[in-house]
Amino acid sequence: MRAYLRTYWLLARAGFRRQATYRMALAAGIFTNSVFGVVRASILVGAVTGAGAAVAGYDALAVSSYAWWGQVLLGSVSMWGWSEVADRVRTGDIAADFLRPVPPYLTYLAVDLGRAALALLARGAPMLLIGALYSGITFATGAVEWVLGLTAVALAVAVGFLGNYLVNCAAFWLVEIRGLLMAYSVVATLLAGLYVPVHWFPEWLRIVAAATPFPSLIQTPIDILSGYAAGPAAVRAVAVQVGWVLALGVAGALATAAGRRRLEVQGG
Amino acid sequence: MASGFTAYRAILRSRVRAQQGYRVSFATDLFATVLTGLAELLEVYVIFHNTPRLGGLDFDAALLVFALANLTFAAADLLVGHCDRLPTYVREGRIDVFYLRPLSILGQLMTSEVSLRRLGRISVAVVVLGIALVRGEVAPTPTTVGMLALSIVCGTALMAGLFVAVAGLQFWLVDGREFANAFTYGGAYAAQQSSLVFPDPVRIFFTFVVPAAFTAYLPTLVILGEPGGDFADPALAWWLPAATAWVWGVALLTWRHGVRHYQGAGG
Amino acid sequence: MSVEPVRPVSASGPVSAPIVAVEGLTRVFRRRGAPALTAVDAMTFRIAPGEAVGYIGANGAGKSTTIKMLTGILAPTSGTARTVGLDPMRDRRELARRVGVVFGQRSQLWWDLPLRESFDLLAAIHRLDRLRATRRTGQLVELLDLGPTLAQPVRSLSLGQRMRAEVAAALLHEPELVILDEPTIGLDVLSKARLREFLIQTRREHGTTLLLTTHDMGDIERLCDRVLVVDHGRLAFDGTLAGLAGTVGARRVLVVDLDRPSEPLHGIPHTQWLGAEGEGVRQRLAFDPADTTAAAVLAAVSERVTLRDLSIEEPDIEDVVRRIYSASS
């Protein structure tokens, strides 16, 4: 029995040691996200102070909560330069993906969900703590809202992935998509409300944002988790996310099929 | 040293030529950096859509801060932004090759690339700078012109110093890239704001430790005759060369330390 | 059995100052979570101007580490290295002007530019005036047959073309010492031959000193008059190629051409029959110089058959090095 325990202890310790480099990366990530969190929260609180009253229902505490929740989520919801599929299209490795019985984008989605869950625990949770210590954070109050909020995070990850995937699919037709990926993340992070809440947008920009899946990435999960949106409003927001997952999922399937046809025509 | 200069100039020219080979991707990259500049501008606009003042500045003043911060950062990024990818250079053995040439290692690293696509962001900043100067009705006095020139030249040098400092750190910091981002991109982000939005400790940090406030906010106070606040006195702005020297002093120290570590550890 | 390093012939010969002088050179790598590794262990040797030295050993024996210390990339843990009379750490830039280095695995060239521009840039870096740069580039391009590739971007060159271009790049500033780290790795036979010929010619015409690491014994045989064998960071041998073979008692092979097809030459004292061609017209016999002499073998053979021609094959060096390893470990 003791020998057993010892073996497991050694295995666990080895596993932990192997994580050493990851721990460094983690510490670096948390440090950097904290710096950005401080700057973002300062700007938003400064705006509320300048306005002299709550802006669109956000007082100083609510809006710094918003900034910190954004820092919690941004490691999980991918909005930046993911180009694995595009790289595989360029190298031709994508052909191997097509041989598998599962649609390739579902495999990648599953991987991304796993990555996002881990990032939420390892990178997100510390940001929550730091934000709470720095300026305080507001939370959803009801159990239903928590369930909805966590669902919204999962859906946000899915929307983020599918959006990225669609951009990656452009690689079937374009030689170089770095510029496109860059442009996509600029637009996505802006309209997601990562820097300024979508509720603060002037009306024309709010309409533009609402026509895109991007508010589902950051604004929706933050609204629910921070308690800004509750009850029917929260349910409605999640329903919109579900709609975007379905729409982008179909678009992804179509783009994959079209890309595959193109490769076959080219004899790739 | 004049002929060393010739060598660097030849290298830089070759970097510019190399980018002319890829016109289409260069054009889309340029488009993307223009978009980046515009998106950041839009954020400023959105904030001021909700409040008349932010950190004591009105929209026009904020535009000037935005323009100077973006201009200096994007220019530094164009020139030496690749320095924060030092681990890639080490992995590819490019640092070893630098050792085999009769030029300084740092000089070779700094001139090894020029990211002309950043011109997109610079052009947005220049246009906004023009708009901000006109809207702010800035009269061309020795003070305003001098401060503007100082801000652009020294501000760019200061931001470039940040890139070099983090390059030196990455010789020995595992996963230093993310730490590096906190100082370079984080510093640039802080530089775009009025210092007065920050609580005192953060303001002190971004004024006297990572002196980002010197590149745009403090010069703006002088150019527009704004009063500033605690640890944000307009008179501080004239110390910009000292702030630049401080950053470069730290940068050269971390670089030297980094190179020693590299020679000590073998990469 | 232990192998005593043999003093090189050349070390006592020329009176001029050594171009490379290594004294008790030691390099220890400390690694996180692993025992410290002594990559180079109290190495001492000198290379005189004009020598061509092969620096050989197994992977991880400490070859690259030594070269990095000779060129100022790596600081010694203890001991000293002086290259062209300079301290590589302190006088790195001056050193770079006088030494040319080819790293087989890392490129000196600008991969995204036409080859010609790499030469132009290196000429600017080494401050060659226009006349000298043009003349020298022209020379190298001709000798290394790089003319057709000058307009091509480096990334599109074949491996053979690229290696020749790397060598040209390292020699552009006419260095007194050329260090080549695996210069022929991955090259086809023709490219190898071409490169070796060029190096031989360079040495003959300019008296350039060569120090090269290689896994290819053909490089050593064709290019080097002295061999340093490094094993586990220590110098296991220092001497001539023949001396190396002699020290470890390497076998030589006597090849005899006979006047008519003959029976296999079994039973010649102290030899091993290796085989025959042309129904026994050409036969091969291996012998160890420690046990017998070529003359004795030849005499024994002549008693049985009539010789038309003969040759003695030099020992297989990889075999020799392997023996050095097994002897010293």
Side-chain angles (χ1 to χ4, degrees), chain A residues 21 25 28-29 31-32 36 39-40 42-43 46-47 50-51 55 123 134 176 178-179 182-183 186 190 195-196 200 202, chain B residues 25 29 32-33 35-36 39 42-43 45-46 49-51 53-54 117 174-175 178-179 182 185-186 189 193 197-199 202:
Chain A
T21 53
F31 173 72
T32 303
F36 276 90
V39 177
R40 276 184 193 140
S42 301
I43 297 166
V55 178
R123 296 198 164 208
Y134 181 78
E176 169 68 58
R178 186 175 66 173
M182 214 153 92
V186 169
L190 174 73
Y195 307 108
V196 186
W200 284 18
Chain B
S25 67
D29 284 357
T33 63
L35 205 62
T36 308
L42 200 57
E43 282 161 42
Y45 170 76
V46 169
H49 175 75
N50 293 287
T51 175
R53 300 185 85 78
L54 180 66
R117 61 169 186 273
V174 191
D175 296 301
E178 278 215 82
F179 272 120
Y185 292 86
Y189 194 33
Q193 322 303 332
V197 301
F198 299 121
V202 180

Side-chain angles (χ1 to χ4, degrees), chain B residues 3 7 10-11 14-15 17-18 22 93 96-105 174 262-266, chain C residues 27 29 68 72-75 89 92-93 96-97 101 103 106-108 110 112-113 117 121 124-127 155:
Chain B
S3 30
I11 297 174
S14 84
R15 295 298 84 214
R17 270 199 307 278
Y22 308 89
D96 285 357
V97 171
F98 290 166
Y99 272 90
L100 305 177
R101 298 183 183 142
L103 298 172
S104 94
I105 311 283
V174 191
Y262 183 72
Q263 289 175 318
Chain C
R27 176 67 223 202
F29 289 110
K68 283 184 171 180
I73 297 174
L74 207 58
M89 293 296 290
R92 179 187 64 79
R93 286 194 225 183
R97 281 190 201 103
V101 183
F103 280 128
R106 16 199 87 167
S107 181
Q108 293 236 48
W110 283 262
D112 53 359
L113 291 174
E117 294 197 31
L121 281 173
I125 286 170
H126 284 288
R127 307 184 190 178
R155 63 165 180 278

Side-chain angles (χ1 to χ4, degrees), chain A residues 26-78:
Chain A
L26 193 62
I30 290 169
F31 173 72
T32 303
N33 277 353
S34 304
V35 171
F36 276 90
V38 166
V39 177
R40 276 184 193 140
S42 301
I43 297 166
L44 295 180
V45 171
V48 171
T49 314
V55 178
Y58 290 95
D59 59 13
L61 175 63
V63 86
S64 59
S65 290
Y66 185 90
W68 287 106
W69 274 111
Q71 297 305 101
V72 171
L73 291 175
L74 84 106
S76 296
V77 182
S78 56

Side-chain angles (χ1 to χ4, degrees), chain A residues 220-260:
Chain A
T220 303
I222 294 183
D223 278 354
I224 302 173
L225 287 169
S226 69
Y228 183 85
V235 175
R236 259 200 312 277
V238 172
V240 170
Q241 282 185 307
V242 172
W244 279 114
V245 169
L246 292 177
L248 292 173
V250 170
L254 291 175
T256 312
R260 188 175 180 173

